[in-house]
Amino acid sequence: MLSSHVRLVPARVRLVHSLVRSPSCSFMDLKALLSSLNDFASLSFAESWDNVGLLVEPSPPHTVNTLFLTNDLTEEVMEEALQKKADCILSYHPPIFRPMKRITWKTWKERLVIRALENRVAIYSPHTAYDAAPQGVNNWLAKGLGVCTSRPIHPSKAPSCPTEGTHRVEFNVNHTHDLDKIMSTVKGISDVSVTSFSARTDEEEQTRVSLHCGQQALMQVVAFLSQHRQLYQKTEILSLEKPLLLHTGMGRLCTLDDSVSLATLIERIKRHLKLSHVRLALGVGRTLESQVKVVALCAGSGSSVLQGAEADLYLTGEMSHHDVLDAASQGINVILCEHSNTERGFLSDLRDALSVHLENKINIILSEADRDPLQVV
């Protein structure tokens, strides 16, 4: 159980930004910008299936004076970015996801690539890296609930840690074995780090050998040790896991300081997302006056992230029909806001945060043409 929490308090003051920033802004080399963006939210936090990072790169060197932010890069948004002289587009959703076999004028996504390259515009997408980040999309979404504590539903693992390899192998060597020969053999296996220290077992002085190795090297280590029955019988093999990050990961489980009615929470969410309507599925036995204390949320499409989370309410952009039925049958209310409506508002916060992070070195502007493709009619 994770005991550490992030405390979320709705912001009451928002800075007013002009469309284009001060002329004092200069420029950044594209590679320097990419490095800074990764420092802001590491791409290592993205899901393995995702396509994140630099997707389109003009021939180097490429300098960036204007960074253009959008949730979805459509042809209409691309036209806007070109009119506003963008040098790099940060598109939250990756416009290139499935592999492209050709770049022609036939499909809209191919045309995006062509226009970007013709006009020397880079395209970068962070997507699920920003979902997981402590200062990312899901934390922004949680701000609309009211004062609460929050933790990831599925915490990320540290991208790197001091321990090398995926397994640790430990065994004791007594005086009946040739220690030098054993150490020489295991040290000769590729990608194995070896340490040893004195140990006393059953009143006998022995040497404790500890190896760190990957999956492939593990098989070679086991093959060697199995030739020495006494060593192998008392060998311990441990699978190593990277430590969890308490504030980074997919989804958020939010506990409100004070319970509120479902009707009150709906109004808070609509106000935060600037929506006149949301879709609601009442949990079995629940009403609009039912109290809500715990909210599980996931920006975008939340079915897989929210499944199994214990909460009074699920908040996301979209879920499958059957996943909604499953949640409602357990007495869990479900609010759906349409996919990108749970993400797009984050871009204003992102602009502010990146301006500080990048020390106002470049202009950062938001798309005005970007919008959710679905509307209530």
Side-chain angles (χ1 to χ4, degrees), residues 167-354:
H167 292 82
R168 184 168 74 226
V169 182
E170 293 190 347
F171 55 90
N172 287 349
V173 180
N174 60 29
H175 68 280
T176 63
H177 297 96
D178 187 338
L179 177 61
D180 290 340
K181 183 177 180 180
I182 291 172
M183 294 294 285
S184 176
T185 301
V186 294
K187 286 181 178 179
I189 299 174
S190 179
D191 297 324
V192 172
S193 61
V194 185
T195 57
S196 62
F197 51 91
S198 297
R200 190 172 183 83
T201 305
D202 299 328
E203 302 302 319
E204 180 184 5
E205 290 292 336
Q206 298 186 348
T207 300
R208 184 72 168 173
V209 179
S210 179
L211 316 176
H212 285 98
C213 60
Q215 184 67 44
Q216 187 172 354
L218 175 64
M219 302 308 295
Q220 298 180 58
V221 171
V222 169
F224 167 70
L225 293 176
S226 63
Q227 299 172 19
H228 303 270
R229 186 167 175 268
Q230 289 183 327
L231 290 181
Y232 192 55
Q233 284 183 335
K234 295 185 178 181
T235 294
E236 296 178 349
I237 301 177
L238 305 175
S239 178
L240 303 178
E241 292 286 343
K242 294 179 178 178
L244 298 179
L245 300 175
L246 298 184
H247 307 311
T248 305
M250 294 301 158
R252 293 294 183 269
L253 192 66
C254 307
T255 303
L256 300 176
D257 278 17
D258 299 305
S259 299
V260 296
S261 70
L262 177 58
T264 297
L265 202 55
I266 289 172
E267 291 308 310
R268 288 182 183 179
I269 292 167
K270 289 163 65 175
R271 187 163 56 249
H272 183 59
L273 301 183
K274 297 179 174 60
L275 297 175
S276 57
H277 299 85
V278 295
R279 291 191 287 165
L280 169 68
L282 284 171
V284 172
R286 304 293 187 254
T287 70
L288 287 175
E289 297 308 312
S290 295
Q291 294 295 294
V292 176
K293 180 70 172 177
V294 180
V295 180
L297 61 83
C298 178
S301 181
S303 289
S304 61
V305 174
L306 299 178
Q307 190 172 34
E310 296 183 5
D312 303 309
L313 169 69
Y314 285 175
L315 170 62
T316 187
E318 59 181 334
M319 288 176 65
S320 74
H321 174 76
H322 295 288
D323 286 336
V324 172
L325 290 178
D326 286 342
S329 72
Q330 301 171 58
I332 301 172
N333 305 299
V334 178
I335 293 178
L336 305 180
C337 308
E338 304 308 344
H339 190 112
S340 68
N341 288 337
T342 56
E343 304 160 337
R344 184 169 289 102
F346 165 70
L347 295 180
S348 294
D349 282 16
L350 177 64
R351 174 189 57 194
D352 298 346
L354 286 180

Side-chain angles (χ1 to χ4, degrees), residues 9-21:
V9 180
R12 295 185 179 276
V13 179
R14 181 170 300 282
L15 297 177
V16 178
H17 292 259
S18 60
L19 181 64
V20 180
R21 294 192 174 276

Side-chain angles (χ1 to χ4, degrees), residues 91-110:
S91 176
Y92 167 74
H93 284 136
I96 302 174
F97 192 78
R98 296 184 181 90
M100 291 182 172
K101 292 185 177 181
R102 57 185 60 83
I103 304 296
T104 70
W105 203 249
K106 187 175 182 180
T107 69
W108 70 276
K109 290 195 173 184
E110 292 174 56

Side-chain angles (χ1 to χ4, degrees), residues 156-169:
S156 299
K157 294 180 180 180
S160 60
C161 62
T163 302
E164 298 177 2
T166 58
H167 292 82
R168 184 168 74 226
V169 182

